[in-house]
Amino acid sequence: MAIGSSDIAAFIRGSRWVYPLINATHILGVSLAVGTIIVLDARIFGIGRSVPLSTVARFLIPFTVTGILLAVAAGLLLFSVKPHDYAGNPVFQLKMALLVLALANATLLRRRSLHRAEADRVLIIGGAASLVLWTGVLFCGRLIAFVG
């Protein structure tokens, strides 16, 4: 017998510990992703010039990707508990829009930063956009509980 998404959502809702553990995993993933992104953005802005930008990027990106994968997987499970409530929440919608923009920006920055020893104007603008977008994702994520 196959287990459906509604069965999983019911299990998560009915458990005293599963939802908080998934939520904590989501926060861990977001922290890992955004924390490493902030360090990479700081390097783009010139902090730690003794280490080449390409080296920092190659070192941090696997941690960033791991954090994003954890956050997305846990986020999908959290979403499954109240999909209609979340989908109709304007702050959740804004968070998703900012997340798409942040991931697109991160992809562009990654492609450019892996091939540069130092940041250029395009990377600096992308780094600034990264800080604004990821901060917006964090704020919206926290505000979801208070709106809707």
Side-chain angles (χ1 to χ4, degrees), residues 25-37 60-75 103 134:
T25 301
H26 184 67
I27 292 168
L28 175 66
V30 170
S31 300
L32 182 58
V34 175
T36 55
I37 287 167
L60 290 179
I61 287 171
F63 293 100
T64 305
V65 170
T66 299
I68 289 170
L69 292 174
L70 271 175
V72 168
L103 290 171
W134 286 109

Side-chain angles (χ1 to χ4, degrees), residues 30 48 60 88 99 111 123 137 141:
V30 170
L60 290 179
L99 179 61
R111 289 185 178 154
L123 275 175
V137 169

